[in-house]
């Protein structure tokens, strides 16, 4: 955990899915990351290690993909974060409109046990830097920016629906702590973990939690309206929606993107 508190110690990449986009990952990809100066890879448990739906069996493909990527991190001598995207009742963030985990206590318990099993599988590996328990939890996603426009609206809607994301995160942390007392745990927030929604997130009673926020603003830069590598007029710093965007620093020297310890 002290390494996470050491400014700019971790330098690395979000590796992405095991077999998506440019093709299945290989050891060469991780060796190339290390050669580029990276010492950290966030590897995605995109499928989860337990199936989405009943009877919630073990997902051999998900286990194999994690085992492979962990082995390649060790070979390249880079630290790794395991970022969990799917599991019982929860699909990856791009497909989460029909998730059932938010109101299903049985699936929440099964998801928590899946996290504990993942941690137990790699526990003690000196390169295992953290587990990201759920990438961008987005309950009521289809209502965001339609009937839900701000954190107060979402707080009320979650309460009405009987959804308590903070309690879920507490459950996940407790399950992990049953098998590892000190592994850093990364917690994200609702609505793609955008910083403007963090008033909904409570601080967890655990000394080894990292709070991870995402910012996609300016959206015109992070999601350019073309398929080419270089879109005309898409620059940073730059002006988007009549506002100038540029890197700024806080008094502590931290940039506007990052994690809060």
């Amino acid at each position: 955990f002290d390494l996470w508190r050491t400014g700019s110690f971790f330098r690395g990449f979000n590796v992405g899915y095991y077999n998506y986009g440019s093709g299945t990952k290989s050891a060469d990809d991780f060796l190339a990351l290390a050669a580029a100066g990276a010492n950290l890879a966030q590897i995605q448990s995109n499928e989860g290690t337990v199936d989405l739906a009943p009877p919630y069996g073990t997902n051999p493909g998900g286990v194999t993909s994690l085992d492979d990527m962990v082995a390649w991190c060790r070979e390249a001598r880079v630290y790794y974060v395991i970022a969990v995207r799917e599991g019982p009742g929860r699909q990856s963030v791009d497909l989460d409109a029909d998730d059932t985990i938010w109101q299903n206590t049985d699936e929440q318990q099964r998801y928590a046990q899946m996290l504990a099993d993942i941690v137990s599988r790699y526990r003690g590996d000196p390169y295992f830097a953290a587990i990201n328990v759920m990438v961008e939890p987005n309950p009521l996603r289809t209502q965001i920016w339609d009937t839900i426009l701000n954190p107060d609206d979402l707080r009320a809607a979650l309460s009405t629906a009987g959804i308590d994301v903070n309690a879920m995160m507490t459950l996940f942390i407790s399950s992990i702590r049953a098998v590892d007392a000190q592994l850093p745990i990364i917690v994200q927030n609702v609505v793609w973990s955008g910083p403007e929604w963090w008033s909904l997130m409570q601080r967890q009673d655990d000394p080894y939690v990292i709070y991870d926020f995402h910012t996609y603003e300016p959206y015109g830069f992070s999601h350019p309206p073309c398929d080419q590598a270089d879109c005309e007029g898409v620059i940073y710093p730059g002006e988007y929606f009549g506002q100038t965007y540029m890197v700024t620093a806080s008094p502590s020297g931290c940039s506007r993107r990052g994690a809060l310890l």
Side-chain angles (χ1 to χ4, degrees):
F1 188 75
D2 286 343
L3 298 181
W4 286 100
R5 303 183 68 173
T6 302
S8 300
F9 177 84
F10 287 120
R11 306 174 308 279
F13 296 85
N14 184 20
V15 173
Y17 305 155
Y18 179 70
N19 56 355
Y20 180 79
S22 59
T24 302
K25 304 298 183 292
S26 70
D28 289 342
D29 296 315
F30 290 81
L31 292 169
L33 293 181
N39 67 357
L40 178 74
Q42 178 166 258
I43 56 179
Q44 306 284 328
S45 178
N46 183 49
E47 306 172 64
T49 58
V50 176
D51 290 337
L52 167 74
Y56 309 107
T58 298
N59 177 6
V63 174
T64 298
S65 65
L66 268 186
D67 279 349
D68 285 349
M69 289 190 287
V70 166
W72 297 332
C73 286
R74 292 169 178 163
E75 181 179 350
R77 298 184 179 181
V78 297
Y79 293 95
Y80 59 90
V81 171
I82 296 176
V84 183
R85 303 184 72 95
E86 296 192 6
R90 206 271 166 149
Q91 301 178 86
S92 184
V93 64
D94 297 327
L95 304 169
D96 61 3
D98 298 321
D99 284 350
T100 54
I101 191 173
W102 315 119
Q103 297 158 303
N104 187 318
T105 56
D106 177 61
E107 289 178 338
Q108 292 170 16
Q109 292 286 346
R110 291 176 182 275
Y111 191 102
Q113 184 61 52
M114 178 187 72
L115 295 175
D117 291 343
I118 291 173
V119 170
S120 181
R121 189 175 187 85
Y122 306 110
R123 182 175 181 269
D125 183 352
Y127 291 107
F128 190 8
I131 184 167
N132 183 341
V133 294
M134 182 179 283
V135 176
E136 297 184 343
N138 277 343
L140 306 183
R141 171 186 174 181
T142 56
Q143 300 176 45
I144 301 296
W145 299 307
D146 183 6
T147 58
I148 296 173
L149 302 177
N150 56 58
D152 287 339
D153 290 346
L154 182 54
R155 182 182 289 106
L158 291 172
S159 178
T160 298
I163 298 173
D164 190 341
V165 176
N166 288 296
M168 280 181 51
M169 295 302 159
T170 300
L171 171 65
F172 297 163
I173 292 168
S174 296
S175 185
I176 291 169
R177 290 294 174 239
V179 297
D180 193 304
Q182 294 184 325
L183 178 73
I185 296 174
I186 296 175
V187 171
Q188 294 181 359
N189 193 26
V190 295
V191 195
W192 295 276
S193 208
E196 62 271 35
W197 299 86
W198 270 83
S199 61
L200 300 177
M201 179 58 69
Q202 298 172 1
R203 186 181 183 92
Q204 294 289 330
D205 185 20
D206 187 287
Y208 303 111
V209 168
I210 299 161
Y211 300 94
D212 179 18
F213 65 88
H214 295 176
T215 177
Y216 298 103
E217 297 294 343
Y219 196 81
F221 173 77
S222 64
H223 294 72
C226 73
D227 296 328
Q228 289 74 36
D230 297 309
C231 295
E232 184 178 355
V234 177
I235 59 173
Y236 193 91
E239 183 172 315
Y240 296 91
F241 312 110
Q243 181 175 348
T244 299
Y245 286 82
M246 60 185 297
V247 174
T248 60
S250 70
S252 64
C254 298
S255 71
R256 293 179 65 187
R257 299 174 177 251
L260 306 176
L261 302 183

